[in-house]
Each structure stands twice: as structure tokens, then as C-alpha cells.
Amino acid sequence: MQSLSLWHRVEPLLRFVERPSRYINHEYNAAQSSESADYKVTLLYPDTYEIGQANQALIILYQIIRDLQGCSVERSYLPWVDMMALMREKSIPLFSLESCSPVAAFDLVGITLPHEMAATNILEALDLAGIPLHSTQRGDSDPLVLAGGPGAFNPEPIACFFDAIAIGEGEELIVEVVEMHRQLKAQGANRQQILEALSSIEGIYVPQFYAYDRLSGRLEPQRDCAASAIRKRIVKDLDAVPVPTCPIVPYVDVAHDRLTVEILRGCTRGCRFCQAGMIYRPVRERKADTIINAIANGIACTGFEEVSLTSLSSTDHSQIAEILRRANNLLSGTAVGVSLPSQRLDAFGVEMAQLIAGEKKAGLTFAPEAGTQRLRDIINKNVTESDLLSAVYHAYTAGWRRCKLYFMIGLPGETDEDIQGIANLANAAYLAAKDAVPDEQRGSVRMSVSVAVFVPKPQTPFQWMGQIALSEIQRRIELLKKSKLHKGIDLHWHDPATSLLEAALSRGGRETSQLIEAAWRGGATFDAWTERFNLDIWLDAARNCGVDLQALASRDYDCSGPLPWDHIECGVEKEYLFKEWQNAQAGVTTEDCSFASCTACGVCQDLDVQIALAGDYRG
Amino acid sequence: MERVVRRSQLPYVITAGFSAHMKHAFGPALPVGTGGLAELLDVWISDYIPVSQALQSLEEVAPVSLPVIAVSYIEKSTPSLQVSHRYSTYEVLLRADARKQADIERACTGLLASGSLAVQRKGKMKNFDLSRYLGSKPKTELMEDDLLRLGFVLIADENGSLRPENLLDALSGYPDRLDVVSITRVRLSDSL
Ligand code: SF4
């Protein structure tokens, strides 16, 4: 690919758009665009620069591809609507940041699937890039369009837009895909030969090789090269995988603008609503020494003022106290803060409160999820009211004056008492916070309650059940608004219309792609942005496709029948998810296998992997 | 820049208090969409480091497109950059030929003769007296490839400042819109 830089056409547009820094590249640690590389990849995040820049998976993959001999890697983001309008007016295609080259000129375009609401942005990005929307319409001169990320665990709603979809963890998989594609291109293989070869890689799903089979009700392979099920890829020894310590340092505020060190992967707490808890199993921890080295090297290489020790449940790390102690010592006197993305209630005692406090008190978030013990048992959130009250008490004793509590409404089995329970629990937590602070500071005690609408997700014990109706969600929100919360508590709730769409898309089958395409053609983009989301566009699109959005969101699947994502295996057995669904209905909880014995979800046997704790057995 | 200073491992001072941070202060902010070739930043350090050594530490860890050009010590009593450095020299690159250059020159003369410039800020009109807020008559210079360089100095005071695009908007429409390629602040200084 010779220099195809579009910069001379892009630069004059910058003074007419919001936040031109989104498009300028040249941040510290960004890769140099390499003219000499014989294979070029761009990693595309289907949202703006600020949202995608610090995406952890992209940071990891960027570093891995950059280190491959003869390969170059760049980043692309979807420009904001003002820039897109100008680009379309001037016929400027979607470009990469590093070399400002057209996205369509790369060998491989790797697109992240962060969540369902990014679906129309994917179409917008492909269209702006000049790449045919459907995989079957692409020719030999088009790039290979690969997807990956949490959204791949039910890929069907967007499957037809991709040539291949990577299921599971990408560290090893991306290298295999790049090496194979590069070799085949060099040999002059055509597109079909390339896709056939890629489908032989474990964890790669080539959607056009599968079709719906009336008899089995499943998607069945249509070619010999395609496996009947695609099993997720997993990194067995996380500690052996280098932590990216030189990520790009943005010039402007972006989401998660800090150094992130992933301290463990997976979570076996077993919350029944949580897709991440199922698809990233089992727990694999990095060692304290590895983590401390990564913090030291990462801060030296980036200069960030905060390091976040990330994972699905960071306080669960078997060496968390030691890690926080050593990190605080290392960073003492540097004004660099240490934060944890969210705090497990039952693991947040006096010591943890002091260790997280450090020099800076970053935000503190607790997630009881439900207002009553009965409902917390249904969802297997094994924390109690006293866990919450004591965690809040310790936090405010240690100096915090504000914290956030997360709840969900619309959970299976929820009654009006559970809604009132949210208010009761928040009030009790607020009083515990007031008790913890000196009299003269009580006026400064604040708490916020954030309420999300439950969206049933594939690959979870609640995958068979539909979302409650929009009108009922609205009634329950009203009920919560009317319940008496203390003055110092702010209540926030997610837009129920957004959650309705999320639910309609999340458990959809291949036919859902028509709805997505119709909505995009009707003008939907940036659906995850409140100011851009327009339910009417989606309702129109649904009408034109002959479907009912509410019916899609609330459909129940037969527990003994096929599911649209049956061919995608995350390792957790379907039978186990069903047993968990039955336990939920009976209000029976299931223990965390990292603390107690194996509960036979199947992932360790299926993927030949084991729970890997860095310290002592947590139980 | 705070991150550049942290990477340089200079002995920066941190503020006391609930939310400790590096003690530093920037000069007047660059308008959105404008490049800067010589921006200024005050940083407090706790030990004396020779200027050349401090410069080298910063140079080594600065992004290529955000190089540290010079370092010097200033008196503790020096007023803040926001107060002292109020003169911004801008260079605007435009697509223009000799005929257009003459149009722009005429537009500049006309603007100066009018004595003031009305600008909309937060929904209200504000009148800027050009003898106070514009350093001198804008200069034009024709360059290769049909590019024209337009240079001018804008002066800030406690009541506000003009932005370069305010001036460009005022020069537009003589007879048609300006085709701007880039706007750059090339100097920030305490006097003209
Ligand atoms: S197979 Fe057993 S030990 Fe492994 S993650 Fe599942 S429940 Fe835990």
C-alpha cells in the first residue's frame, strides 16, 4: 500500500468540527505508520475516539500486532456526526489515524463489538469506508472484515456484515488470523479460499458458511471446513501474557483516561444476569509481582495520574491487599492514584477502605443490584444488607463523602416490594454513611443511586426469558421515584426505551440484521448516545421489516428448544445454565467455585483450563 | 504536558490536600482547532536541576508533535502566565492567489477603518475595540502553491479576547469566503 494519506483533505475540515483532536493522531506511544510493512491492519472502534481510545482489548491487540514482523497496525474510530457530514460532502472516506489512509485500503479491518447499541455504527463505518456492507458482496480487493469482543457471543444480529468473527480472547487468535491471511494473500488466494482457511482456526466463525436449518432449528455448517460449533478461545496462563505498559497517551479527555492493569480475568461469582461472568470463565489471576512491575513500567512509560487495577471483580484477587499496599508504596509522593473499577461489597472492610484511599479518593461504586435478599438470591448476588452497610460505613470512615450504588429493575421474579426495597436499602446505606462521619461533616455526605433496566443476555441462566414490557418498566421507575429517598441521595435511571432496543437486539437471530440495516438506512447511528438515540427510527424500521420491537424484546425461548447462539460455545454448558435458571426460580444460591468447590459449569473440562489463583485458595 | 513532566522524572511538586496533583499552570488556552508552535507552561520543582538537563529529560519523553523547545527558571514572584502573557501571534494559511490577496488586504483596511468588531458570545453580541484587541494591521504574504500567509497579533485583557476565527469571519465575504487551511499560534508573549 503506497502512501494514500488523506490528511491534506482532512486537515482543512478540522476547524469546522467539534473536538478536532479526535482526528489528529501523533499521541505519545502511537505506532508510526509504516510504509514498508507488507501487511496492514486497522483496528476500528465503532464509536468516537473518546469512547474507544482506551478500550482495553484494542490496547492489547494493538501492541501484539505492532510487534509482528512486517505488520503495521493503526486505529480508526467513527467520526462524530459533524465530521461525517463534512466527509460525505467532500467524498472523503473513513480514514485511519496513524497514516490517515482509507480504511478500505487495509488488508484487515478488525472491528470491536462492544455492545448491541453499536450495531448501526458498524454499518455507518463500513459504508463511510466504502466497504460493501454484506460479507457476500465483497470482492478480492476489499479488506478482510473481522469482528471480536463481548458482542461476539451472540453474533447473529450482525453476523452477515462480517467475513469472520473471533470468539473469545484474542491474544493468540489474532496472531493466527494475521499470519494465515497474510500468507494466503501473498500466495494469491482468492476471498473464498481465504475464508475457508480461516474457518479452520479454532475460535473463528465465518457466518456465510452457515445457514438456518428448518429441521434442527439451528444454524448448521454448509461447508466441510466449518465446524458445527465454534468454541471460544482462552488464554490459559494470563500471568505469562505481557501487560501492555506503553499504551497510547491521549491529548484530550477520553473515557477511562488512565493506565489500566488487568489484574485478573474471569469471575466465578455466578451472578445469573451477568454475561461477562459466564463468557470469561474461569478466573485467572496475575501475580502480585507481575502487577507491581506493570504499574511501575506503565507509569514511567505514560505519565498517567491514575492507575486502575481492572477486572470484573478486582477485590476478589487473592493478593489484593498486598497489591494495593505495594502499589501505594510505589506511588507515594507522585500524586498518582490507584483505583478499582468497582468494589465487591463483602470484600470491602476497614483494610480495603484504607488501602484504596491512598493519596486520592477516586470514585467508589458498590453494586447490590437488587433491593431485597429474596431477589438477590434469585440473581445469585451473594451479598447481604449488612455487607452493604458495613462497606459504606468503612468507606465513609476512611474519608469518602460520596459513593454510587448500582441496582437493576425488571429482574426475574421482581415485585413492587423489591422496588421499595431499593429505596429502603439506599436509605439504610445513607444513614450508615452519616453515622461514619463526624457531626460537623454530615452535611457533606452524598450518595447516588443508579438504576439500570435488566436486559436478558445470551449465554446466561436468564437467556430464555424476555424483558418485561416497556410500560411496566416505566411503572416501576415511577414507583421508585415516588418512594421516599433521603435528600442527600440522587436517583438516576437508564432510559427504558434504550433498554428495550438493547433487549430486542441482544437475543436476536440472523433475521435481526434486516432490522438493524433498516434502522441505519432510516438514519440511526450513535444509538448509545442519549442525545442521538431515536426510538421512532427503530419503530419505523421494525414496522417496515414486519416485526414488533416489544415482542422481540419480551420473547421467551423454549428451554428445551434451540437458541440462535447455540453454535457459539463459551464453555459453560447449556445444561448448567438451565440448572441455574431452575435454581433462580427456586431462590437457591450457588457458590463461587474460586471460594468453594467446583459447581460443574463445564468450562474447565471443555476448554482444558483451570482456575489460576496467584495467592492462596480464596476459600 | 503534566504526563510529559511525570515521564521526565523531574522532581515535580505536588499540591497538598484531598486531591493531590502536580503543581503547574498553563498560559492562555489555544482556541479549538488552532495549532500552537510555542505554548508556555509553569511547573514547580522541588530541587534545582540544570536547565540543559531538565530540557533533555523533557525532550526525551515528549510526543514528537508536542516537543519541549526551551526551559528556564523564573522568579517565584512572577505573575501567572494567564495575567502576563496576553499577546498571541497567529499565522493563518489560506488558499489564495494575488487577486484574492488584494481582496483580503482591502478587507483588512476596511475592518481597521471601522474601528471595532462585533462578536457573538454565548448568545450576546460583544463589541471589541480593535485598537485594544488587535496588535496591528494583519500582514499578508503570498507563498508557493497558491497559499497565502496571514499574520496578526491578538491581545487579551481581563474583559476577554478576540479569537482568530472572529477576525477571519470578519474578513470573509470580500468577495467570497476564505479557504482556510490552518490556523497556528506561533508566539505567546508579554509584549508586542
Ligand atoms: S468448571 Fe468448575 S471450577 Fe471451572 S469455572 Fe466452572 S465451576 Fe468453576
Side-chain angles (χ1 to χ4, degrees):
Chain A
M1 187 165 102
Q2 335 123 315
S3 175
L4 299 168
S5 176
L6 297 164
W7 181 246
H8 62 289
R9 298 176 63 198
V10 170
E11 190 188 9
L13 307 183
L14 297 185
R15 79 184 189 97
F16 300 108
V17 297
E18 257 179 51
R19 302 186 187 220
S21 50
R22 287 166 168 159
Y23 313 105
I24 61 172
N25 176 41
H26 296 295
E27 309 97 313
Y28 194 67
N29 290 334
Q32 304 287 320
S33 62
S34 162
E35 300 293 322
S36 62
D38 61 26
Y39 187 87
K40 302 199 178 214
V41 179
T42 187
L43 298 175
L44 193 160
Y45 192 89
D47 208 310
T48 60
Y49 173 86
E50 305 91 275
I51 304 296
Q53 202 285 326
N55 178 273
Q56 191 64 11
L58 286 189
I59 291 173
I60 294 171
L61 297 177
Y62 190 80
Q63 182 148 323
I64 291 175
I65 301 168
R66 184 157 71 168
D67 291 346
L68 293 176
Q69 267 290 315
C71 291
S72 73
V73 62
E74 306 197 18
R75 296 161 293 152
S76 313
Y77 303 92
L78 190 63
W80 185 241
V81 285
D82 56 351
M83 182 68 168
M84 273 202 290
L86 287 175
M87 286 166 66
R88 287 196 186 272
E89 187 189 311
K90 311 259 178 210
S91 303
I92 299 175
L94 183 63
F95 54 87
S96 64
L97 283 198
E98 283 78 353
S99 66
C100 205
S101 302
V103 162
F106 283 80
D107 297 297
L108 173 69
V109 179
I111 302 185
T112 310
L113 305 176
H115 47 72
E116 297 82 358
M117 303 300 275
T120 53
N121 278 9
I122 292 169
L123 298 193
E124 185 74 18
L126 289 172
D127 185 65
L128 191 61
I131 299 172
L133 292 189
H134 292 256
S135 168
T136 49
Q137 297 164 339
R138 290 178 200 139
D140 287 335
S141 59
D142 291 310
L144 179 74
V145 183
L146 175 76
F153 283 88
N154 175 20
E156 289 317 316
I158 38 86
C160 65
F161 308 120
F162 291 99
D163 301 319
I165 299 178
I167 313 293
E169 296 169 8
E171 281 95 339
E172 293 156 355
L173 190 49
I174 191 69
V175 178
E176 293 167 29
V177 169
V178 164
E179 298 291 6
M180 183 179 278
H181 186 219
R182 182 181 180 187
Q183 203 176 357
L184 288 168
K185 275 198 92 172
Q187 289 165 0
N190 67 27
R191 199 165 187 87
Q192 281 303 307
Q193 290 166 327
I194 288 171
L195 293 183
E196 281 181 13
L198 289 175
S199 71
S200 70
I201 299 178
E202 177 140 20
I204 289 295
Y205 170 47
V206 177
Q208 62 172 269
F209 292 168
Y210 293 75
Y212 179 70
D213 180 81
R214 271 172 182 275
L215 215 58
S216 67
R218 283 172 47 120
L219 281 168
E220 299 286 1
Q222 306 296 302
R223 306 260 179 122
D224 291 343
C225 59
S228 62
I230 301 91
R231 192 179 290 171
K232 86 168 177 192
R233 290 292 294 270
I234 190 161
V235 169
K236 292 184 182 172
D237 183 1
L238 185 68
D239 198 59
V241 175
V243 185
T245 49
C246 286
I248 290 167
V249 183
Y251 288 124
V252 288
D253 271 354
V254 298
H256 310 293
D257 187 15
R258 55 186 83 100
L259 176 70
T260 50
V261 176
E262 187 186 19
I263 65 171
L264 72 109
R265 199 172 283 177
C267 169
T268 43
R269 289 277 182 174
C271 299
R272 293 178 179 133
F273 57 84
C274 178
Q275 189 190 46
M278 297 297 156
I279 63 177
Y280 294 118
R281 283 179 176 223
V283 168
R284 288 143 295 150
E285 295 181 347
R286 283 196 163 106
K287 297 191 175 83
D289 287 347
T290 312
I291 293 164
I292 297 300
N293 282 336
I295 296 173
N297 295 334
I299 294 297
C301 192
T302 61
F304 278 120
E305 49 287 312
E306 184 182 336
V307 53
S308 178
L309 306 180
T310 62
S311 76
L312 292 173
S313 187
S314 295
T315 40
D316 277 349
H317 193 291
S318 56
Q319 297 175 315
I320 190 66
E322 177 193 341
I323 293 165
L324 287 170
R325 224 179 346 261
R326 288 173 64 185
N328 284 337
N329 284 343
L330 176 76
L331 300 171
S332 156
T334 61
V336 177
V338 182
S339 64
L340 301 181
S342 84
Q343 285 74 31
R344 182 77 196 176
L345 285 171
D346 48 350
F348 197 88
V350 184
E351 187 190 19
M352 198 58 68
Q354 281 161 354
L355 286 170
I356 298 174
E359 277 169 2
K360 284 184 171 183
K361 289 181 181 58
L364 197 57
T365 304
F366 296 117
E369 314 284 6
T372 63
Q373 195 59 49
R374 185 192 67 84
L375 193 53
R376 285 195 293 275
D377 287 347
I378 289 180
I379 62 174
N380 204 43
K381 185 85 193 181
N382 291 323
V383 293
T384 62
E385 174 162 349
S386 74
D387 289 333
L388 174 65
L389 301 189
S390 104
V392 167
Y393 184 84
H394 291 314
Y396 283 75
T397 307
W400 272 278
R401 292 294 172 266
R402 177 176 277 279
C403 83
K404 196 187 271 185
L405 304 183
Y406 266 120
F407 291 94
M408 270 187 280
I409 61 164
L411 286 162
E414 185 179 73
T415 65
D416 288 0
E417 270 170 44
D418 300 303
I419 304 286
Q420 185 55 48
I422 294 176
N424 296 346
L425 192 58
N427 282 337
Y430 183 72
L431 291 180
K434 277 198 146 180
D435 274 352
V437 304
D439 283 354
E440 66 280 8
Q441 293 180 23
R442 288 194 171 165
S444 64
V445 168
R446 288 282 176 278
M447 196 167 275
S448 76
V449 168
S450 186
V451 180
V453 179
F454 169 63
V455 176
K457 295 279 176 170
Q459 316 274 5
T460 70
F462 295 153
Q463 63 183 352
W464 292 278
M465 62 158 308
Q467 190 182 53
I468 57 170
L470 182 61
S471 53
E472 178 58 16
I473 295 172
Q474 281 159 339
R475 189 191 69 81
R476 293 187 197 183
I477 290 176
E478 284 309 312
L479 195 64
L480 183 59
K481 277 158 68 181
K482 282 191 204 127
S483 63
K484 293 201 166 37
L485 282 169
H486 279 288
K487 272 207 318 289
I489 304 178
D490 310 317
L491 176 65
H492 309 272
W493 57 92
H494 285 210
D495 174 25
T498 316
S499 307
L500 169 80
L501 178 61
E502 211 184 324
L505 300 183
S506 101
R507 295 180 311 131
R510 203 167 261 204
E511 69 292 346
T512 315
S513 64
Q514 289 161 17
L515 169 66
I516 293 169
E517 192 169 335
W520 170 70
R521 291 196 187 280
T525 54
F526 289 103
D527 294 301
W529 291 65
T530 319
E531 70 265 41
R532 291 279 309 163
F533 177 66
N534 184 344
L535 184 64
D536 290 340
I537 295 179
W538 284 91
L539 291 171
D540 278 350
R543 240 187 323 273
N544 293 338
C545 294
V547 293
D548 175 356
L549 217 51
Q550 179 68 76
L552 291 179
S554 0
R555 78 191 127 180
D556 288 330
Y557 285 111
D558 177 359
C559 290
S560 55
L563 293 167
W565 50 92
D566 270 349
H567 55 302
I568 305 296
E569 291 185 351
C570 73
V572 176
E573 304 284 350
K574 199 173 173 185
E575 294 71 28
Y576 179 82
L577 297 177
F578 182 61
K579 197 178 87 195
E580 280 295 279
W581 170 226
Q582 289 176 312
N583 285 341
Q585 288 168 300
V588 174
T589 59
T590 300
E591 284 183 309
D592 179 343
C593 61
S594 307
F595 289 81
S597 52
C598 172
T599 57
C601 77
V603 76
C604 293
Q605 296 75 16
D606 233 44
L607 303 176
D608 187 23
V609 62
Q610 281 182 342
I611 289 187
L613 302 186
D616 292 337
Y617 180 61
R618 292 162 172 177
Chain B
M1 277 310 294
E2 182 182 345
R3 292 168 182 175
V4 174
V5 175
R6 188 171 284 110
R7 289 198 293 269
S8 76
Q9 302 194 352
L10 287 174
Y12 59 86
V13 170
I14 64 172
T15 60
F18 187 69
S19 177
H21 58 270
M22 182 185 295
K23 196 168 175 200
H24 67 288
F26 284 97
L30 268 178
V32 174
T34 304
L37 289 187
E39 297 302 304
L40 294 168
L41 166 71
D42 288 342
V43 178
W44 280 253
I45 57 174
S46 56
D47 299 321
Y48 176 78
I49 306 287
V51 164
S52 61
Q53 193 185 325
L55 178 60
Q56 194 189 344
S57 320
L58 291 163
E59 277 173 343
E60 281 169 5
V61 294
V64 180
S65 52
L66 193 65
V68 179
I69 303 165
V71 170
S72 64
Y73 282 94
I74 52 170
E75 290 297 325
K76 263 190 172 169
S77 57
T78 312
S80 77
L81 287 167
Q82 293 276 357
V83 173
S84 60
H85 283 61
R86 292 177 158 182
Y87 298 83
S88 294
T89 307
Y90 290 96
E91 276 188 10
V92 179
L93 283 186
L94 307 152
R95 285 195 201 290
D97 52 17
R99 187 185 57 80
K100 182 89 185 173
Q101 180 184 24
D103 289 340
I104 293 171
E105 295 267 1
R106 256 195 312 280
C108 289
T109 310
L111 181 66
L112 285 175
S114 74
S116 68
L117 180 56
V119 172
Q120 193 164 18
R121 288 278 160 84
K122 293 179 186 156
K124 286 190 199 143
M125 289 310 280
K126 187 169 174 177
N127 235 357
F128 286 89
D129 174 355
L130 291 177
S131 66
R132 251 171 77 193
Y133 291 98
L134 182 64
S136 62
K137 185 182 174 195
K139 289 193 184 69
T140 64
E141 183 193 346
L142 211 48
M143 300 160 63
E144 282 174 8
D145 300 330
D146 274 351
L147 285 177
L148 176 90
R149 181 157 51 205
L150 175 68
F152 51 88
V153 178
L154 297 179
I155 307 164
D157 69 14
E158 49 290 340
N159 297 317
S161 62
L162 279 170
R163 295 190 194 127
E165 56 273 24
N166 300 145
L167 198 69
L168 294 172
D169 286 346
L171 297 179
S172 270
Y174 291 90
D176 39 47
R177 282 196 66 77
L178 298 178
D179 189 357
V180 174
V181 175
S182 64
I183 309 174
T184 311
R185 178 155 77 185
V186 293
R187 186 163 173 253
L188 182 62
S189 54
D190 55 5
S191 59
L192 261 181

